[in-house]
Structure formats: structure tokens, C-alpha cells
Amino acid sequence: MAATSGSDHYSHSKPPLSFLFAGKKMPLKLFWAFALLIFTVSRCFGDDDHEMEEFLKREFSLSKPYQGVGSSGSSHWELMGDAMVTTEQVRLTPDMQSRQGAVWSRIPCHLKDWEMQVHFKIHGQGKKNLNGDGMAIWYTKERVQKGPVFGNMDNFTGLGVFVDTYPNEEKHIEAQKKRYTPRTQRIFPFVLAMVGNGSISYDHERDGRPTELGGCNAMVRNLKHDTFLFIRYIRRRLTVMIDIDGQHEWRDCLDIPGVRLPQGYYFGATAITGDLSDNHDIISLKLYQLTVLRSKKEEEEEEDEITIPSVDNMELLRLGQVEEGMSAIAIFFTVLLSMLGCVFLIVIGLVVYSHWNESRRKRFY
């Protein structure tokens, strides 16, 4: 685990108990009894924010003035492809066709619990749905590998969080003169996450739906205010949130338990353009080490070393996506067939009952 010396440190704090009783007189014994009750309840519910401290890890963070970024040996970060450093940002791709670029950490991260705060900007001349293709934040075994998945290789090993700005599946369906239903249609840009084990391919034509863990729409293009992405991995739980409304408030995007990520992988950011394009900029990447209190049971459960990325109950997640993806017609026929089945069973029951009742009457004559 990396040393914490030279790191920025801050912790979440609770409001003082005196605030709860401002302007009121309360007996001292009752006050301490109430304080003990609050402490006991907070321990029972285990509020993570109150049990966690955060340390900024400078060796895994990227921010202005980007000193030495891209130069060999003088920085913890390496540029790739069309990425370039300016005074205001690390531009992964310019607003030009067929470009891809990346910035990758040179140092593997051995933190058990962490969070990444990404300050980014996506902008360009293209109108809505005439821009592309998007960008990604990575925590993977591989690094500095060009490829089709937002500028990174396919069949990656680790975690990818994607900001997808072009609806490939929707355009493909439109070309076939079909239509999305309101239930299945997505609003782009869309943020989603995927965990790969080295053999799972990202389905570009379907915008990653078959392998996604979850996601949310995020209107992030051409905004005048700052946009942020928050990725937290703690107690084998992956949480992604966004702050894109200029209100300095995080909005939930996905929260998935049972995500198993090995230690010693690399952080990176990539982007790609195709026939359509955008500027994809990273203003900062800030990684925080999280120190979390664990129960003895949790420590025992997490003793085994994770060697291959995986997600518990992934089959249930995919089943939920299949159910969510049912069209209105499919739902109509499912309900119709269910109703017809019920009617059929009722008719059969009535016929059987009438025969039984008739034979029962005959026995009395």
C-alpha cells in the first residue's frame, strides 16, 4: 500500500450535539442518555461517512499545472495517441474525426478502498446526436493499449466507467426502420460501468447494454459550468455519481454491491472519435485513499485475495436488464397470454366441477 506521507487529509464531521438542543434547557443526565442513544444507533446503522477518512494520493492524481505530464521519467502520468497537454486541461481528443488519446498512470495502485473524482469537459461543434463518441475512466490490469472501447483495448481486465455520447444502437434500429419503445429508449449522453475479466467483449453496436452494471443519463455536452464524475470503491461496493447541474450536488448513477476488483491495477482516462467528434478534456483526476472501520466478520470475509475481477450475482443483474428491455408489444402479449391461461384454467375447473357435481347427484338416486 502506498505511503500516506505528504497527502492531503480531511474527514467527514458530525454536527455537535449542542446544536440539537440549541435554546433548550435539558437535564444533564437526560442529555447524556440521549447522546448515548445517538451513538448506539449510529454504530448499529454503520454510516460510512461517519466512519471514514479520506487522504488525497498525489502520486495517483492529475491536476494543473500538469508539470511534466507525458515526458518520460519526470511524471507519474503517460500520454498516448492524440492526447495533448495545455495550460487548462489534458485534451484526450480534439474535435476532429478518427482520433483517440489517453493518459495513463505509470504506477499500479494497491489501495483497498478508494474514490476517484474526475473533473472533465466534453464540447464541440456538433449538434445533438451528431457528436461522438465518448470517454472512459479505467482501473485495469492493462495500460497504454489502443482499441475500440472509447480508445482502450477490448476484452480488458478491470473496471471501465464510460461517458457514452453517441447512441449506436438507436441509430442502427432507425436504419432498420424500427422504433424504440419509451421503456427501452435511452437519453444520451449516458454514463455506465462495466467489469471485465479479460474475456468479456464490450458490445459497441448495443452501447454496452449486455455487460453493463447500471447507468444513468447525463447531459454533459457544451455546458458552461463544471462537470464531475465520482467513482467510489469501498467494501467491494461500486458507486458512481455525477455532478453536472452546476449545483455542487452529487446525483446517484449506480450503486452495485459484490464488485471484486484486484489491487495493483492502473488508472487511466481515454477517449475516441469516429465519423463524428468532440473535444474530450480532463481537467483533473483526484484519487483518495479511504480508511474504513471494518467489523471482524467483514475482515474475515475479505481475507481471500482477489485475482480476477468479477461481480456477484451478475446473472440477476442481466436478468433485470432483459426484463427492462422488454418492448410494449412483448409486455402486452405476455399479459394477454397470462390472462388467457387463467381463463382456460377457470373453464377447465368449472367443467370438472360440473361433472363431479352431476355424478354426485346420481349417487343419491
Side-chain angles (χ1 to χ4, degrees):
M1 183 174 291
T4 60
S5 59
S7 300
D8 290 347
H9 161 246
Y10 65 92
S11 62
H12 296 280
S13 60
K14 301 179 183 179
L17 284 173
S18 59
F19 172 78
L20 299 174
F21 308 107
K24 300 179 182 179
K25 292 183 178 180
M26 178 174 288
L28 187 60
K29 289 184 178 180
L30 183 58
F31 171 83
W32 285 114
F34 191 79
L36 179 62
L37 177 63
I38 291 178
F39 175 79
T40 304
V41 170
S42 66
R43 295 297 296 174
C44 290
F45 285 94
D47 189 342
D48 287 346
D49 285 344
H50 293 172
E51 298 179 3
M52 180 175 62
E53 294 183 330
E54 305 180 352
F55 301 83
L56 176 66
K57 306 301 291 180
R58 297 185 182 277
E59 62 270 36
F60 298 109
S61 299
L62 176 68
S63 58
K64 298 177 184 179
Y66 316 114
Q67 186 173 359
V69 171
S71 58
S72 59
S74 63
S75 171
H76 296 312
W77 294 88
E78 180 176 356
L79 297 181
M80 183 187 74
D82 297 302
M84 61 179 294
V85 179
T86 72
T87 57
E88 298 299 322
Q89 69 268 319
V90 176
R91 177 151 292 171
L92 301 177
T93 68
D95 190 3
M96 301 174 68
Q97 294 179 334
S98 304
R99 303 299 177 96
Q100 58 178 297
V103 58
W104 283 96
S105 173
R106 301 179 190 269
I107 308 171
C109 179
H110 292 277
L111 301 180
K112 191 171 187 178
D113 302 293
W114 50 265
E115 72 179 34
M116 174 71 81
Q117 295 183 16
V118 184
H119 184 186
F120 69 100
K121 188 175 183 64
I122 300 177
H123 56 108
Q125 299 298 318
K127 297 181 180 180
K128 181 177 173 62
N129 290 343
L130 291 176
N131 58 277
D133 281 321
M135 61 181 292
I137 306 299
W138 303 94
Y139 174 70
T140 55
K141 180 180 180 180
E142 308 85 7
R143 60 183 293 275
V144 197
Q145 300 286 333
K146 284 188 175 183
V149 186
F150 300 96
N152 191 25
M153 61 178 288
D154 198 3
N155 299 303
F156 59 87
T157 309
L159 169 69
V161 178
F162 312 135
V163 184
D164 191 352
T165 59
Y166 185 77
N168 291 284
E169 185 175 24
E170 181 178 338
K171 297 302 180 184
H172 180 68
I173 288 177
E174 286 178 359
Q176 295 179 330
K177 297 184 179 180
K178 298 179 181 179
R179 295 187 64 184
Y180 264 114
T181 66
R183 184 179 177 86
T184 58
Q185 188 172 19
R186 283 181 172 173
I187 299 174
F188 280 74
F190 195 84
V191 175
L192 65 151
M194 170 182 171
V195 169
N197 60 11
S199 62
I200 302 175
S201 180
Y202 174 81
D203 191 338
H204 186 265
E205 295 301 318
R206 296 198 58 199
D207 300 314
R209 289 197 191 206
T211 54
E212 71 174 36
L213 301 181
C216 62
N217 67 289
M219 308 305 289
V220 297
R221 288 192 71 246
N222 292 336
L223 298 178
K224 294 182 180 180
H225 54 261
D226 294 332
T227 50
F228 298 89
L229 180 67
F230 172 99
I231 306 167
R232 173 181 284 175
Y233 181 67
I234 179 172
R235 290 192 177 112
R236 296 182 178 175
R237 189 180 197 98
L238 177 67
T239 303
V240 176
M241 295 189 285
I242 56 176
D243 175 7
I244 61 172
D245 300 320
Q247 303 297 321
H248 302 290
E249 294 180 356
W250 294 112
R251 173 160 65 89
D252 294 336
C253 186
L254 64 92
D255 185 28
I256 305 295
V259 177
R260 300 172 184 268
L261 298 176
Q263 299 177 39
Y265 283 8
Y266 297 90
F267 287 103
T270 66
I272 192 170
T273 67
D275 293 335
L276 302 173
S277 62
D278 256 336
N279 296 302
H280 297 93
D281 299 337
I282 293 290
I283 290 92
S284 68
L285 300 171
K286 293 184 179 180
L287 183 76
Y288 294 89
Q289 177 185 3
L290 306 180
T291 58
V292 185
L293 295 178
R294 281 179 166 79
S295 65
K296 187 175 181 180
K297 181 180 179 182
E298 287 176 325
E299 290 178 351
E300 291 174 353
E301 290 175 350
E302 298 180 12
E303 277 183 355
D304 297 335
E305 182 182 3
I306 301 172
T307 57
I308 300 175
S310 63
V311 180
D312 297 345
N313 302 317
M314 188 63 190
E315 293 77 13
L316 294 178
L317 287 174
R318 289 176 180 169
L319 179 62
Q321 292 167 7
V322 169
E323 291 176 350
E324 181 183 355
M326 291 179 67
S327 66
I329 297 177
I331 294 172
F332 171 76
F333 279 109
T334 301
V335 173
L336 179 62
L337 290 175
S338 300
M339 292 177 65
L340 290 176
C342 291
V343 171
F344 178 76
L345 290 175
I346 291 172
V347 171
I348 293 296
L350 290 174
V351 171
V352 171
Y353 175 76
S354 63
H355 280 289
W356 174 81
N357 198 31
E358 184 177 350
S359 62
R360 181 169 173 270
R361 286 199 305 268
K362 288 180 180 180
R363 288 200 303 269
F364 290 98
Y365 294 98

